Amino acid sequence: MLHTWPLATSPGGLSRHDNADTMLNTWIVAWVAHQAPRDPLHLFDANIFHPEPRALAFSEHMTVQGVMGAPVLWLGGSPVLAYNLLVLAGLALSAWSMWLVVRRWTGSHAAGALAGSLLAFNAHTLTRLPHLQALHVEFLPVVLLAADRLLERRRVRDAVVLGLAAALQSLTSNYLLVFTAMAAGVAVAVRAAEWYRPSPARVTALLALAAGIAAAIVTPFLIPYYLAQREQGLTRGLDEVARYSSTWRDYLATAGRLHYAAWSHRFAEGTTALFPAWWRRSWP
């Protein structure tokens, strides 16, 4: 509430609709809530750019956020209300889940609170408040916890939880799909000694099961992006990536209420920190 103030005072009336991405994300959430129960097989055939198919693949599909916000819309709430509640929920759930995992690892409430705060409230999330897909990281700590338990206990249940958590996190954002895969891979790789002893075959089979579950759930949501890329010829050159790579200043420039006016505005350089500006030029 503090970092997004005064949003909590009127979530149905206040809005960041001065930002085009906020309007886009509000529409996506409303579209998912509308289309998923009616015709889920045509979720990506959105009601824009007619008759172009798979128009939802021109941006993030945010199916998880759409499902989370659907009850608000089904009960008569506005898309703005649903979007704003999802902003608050994304930050709160991300902090809570990391707090829960680190507390279980360390036994320290303070360590959990610090870890949760760092995950939910940082230069990246506080600058990308208009971008709902960047605020829901609540499943990543579950991925790390499930990977840890799989290596320790070697149970099928942990493999299933790992696969489901990875899939849910991936369905919040295609960016987070990549980040989650990398994080899970590193979490397993750094504990290779535990993987290989005493029964590497079982651990390998469980990891394959988890990967298979995640892939089975996520792949149908990736195919429309592949088809849209092939049909539209969308590419991202490495020169653009290099040109808009982050600098140390970007990690100090946040738009959070508690930071920007007090000190972080000095480090803002006119672009969205930690979010490539070329994306907005490619998708006007």
Side-chain angles (χ1 to χ4, degrees):
M1 291 173 61
L2 290 173
H3 281 297
T4 60
W5 191 262
L7 184 62
T9 64
S10 180
L14 298 177
S15 174
R16 276 300 312 274
H17 276 189
D18 62 312
N19 184 289
D21 288 340
T22 297
M23 291 189 284
L24 172 64
N25 288 355
T26 302
W27 165 76
I28 291 174
V29 168
W31 170 255
V32 171
H34 166 84
Q35 186 74 347
R38 290 173 171 82
D39 192 359
L41 295 180
H42 291 90
L43 178 67
F44 279 83
D45 294 325
N47 59 346
I48 57 174
F49 300 118
H50 179 79
E52 189 67 36
R54 295 177 289 277
L56 187 59
F58 292 169
S59 186
E60 298 267 27
H61 60 84
M62 293 189 289
T63 299
V64 168
Q65 293 94 322
V67 171
M68 292 173 67
V72 177
L73 295 161
W74 295 342
L75 292 173
S78 70
V80 168
L81 175 62
Y83 172 87
N84 286 335
L85 292 178
L86 287 170
V87 168
L88 297 173
L91 294 169
L93 289 172
S94 298
W96 174 77
S97 64
M98 182 57 88
W99 165 79
L100 185 65
V101 169
V102 173
R103 190 203 63 169
R104 288 183 176 179
W105 276 340
T106 66
S108 170
H109 287 280
L114 177 61
S117 296
L118 290 173
L119 178 68
F121 310 108
N122 53 68
H124 179 74
T125 57
L126 294 180
T127 300
R128 295 192 60 192
L129 289 175
H131 303 133
L132 196 60
Q133 65 268 38
L135 306 182
H136 281 260
V137 202
E138 59 264 31
F139 301 105
L140 180 58
V142 182
V143 169
L144 300 179
L145 178 63
D148 176 65
R149 288 186 169 180
L150 187 153
L151 292 174
E152 287 187 351
R153 305 177 183 180
R154 303 171 186 245
R155 300 180 305 184
V156 172
R157 184 177 74 178
D158 296 322
V160 172
V161 172
L162 175 58
L164 291 176
L168 288 171
Q169 187 61 76
S170 300
L171 295 181
T172 64
S173 166
N174 288 334
Y175 287 106
L176 293 177
L177 183 156
V178 177
F179 298 161
T180 300
M182 294 177 64
V186 170
V188 172
V190 298
R191 298 172 66 177
E194 296 176 58
W195 183 356
Y196 287 109
R197 295 197 302 266
S199 55
R202 179 168 178 79
V203 173
T204 301
L206 291 174
L207 290 172
L209 173 61
I213 292 173
I217 296 173
V218 173
T219 297
F221 293 87
L222 294 179
I223 293 174
Y225 287 96
Y226 168 74
L227 295 175
Q229 188 278 333
R230 188 179 65 179
E231 294 166 356
Q232 302 292 335
L234 305 173
T235 58
R236 306 179 181 183
L238 291 179
D239 57 332
E240 292 176 307
V241 175
R243 187 180 310 127
Y244 294 105
S245 294
S246 60
T247 69
W248 66 269
R249 296 178 63 90
D250 293 324
Y251 291 90
L252 298 175
T254 84
R257 285 289 193 182
L258 297 182
H259 303 302
Y260 187 80
W263 59 272
S264 70
H265 65 278
R266 300 181 182 91
F267 300 96
E269 297 181 326
T271 59
T272 303
L274 306 179
F275 188 66
W278 63 267
W279 175 269
R280 291 194 298 278
R281 291 204 302 273
S282 300
W283 299 102

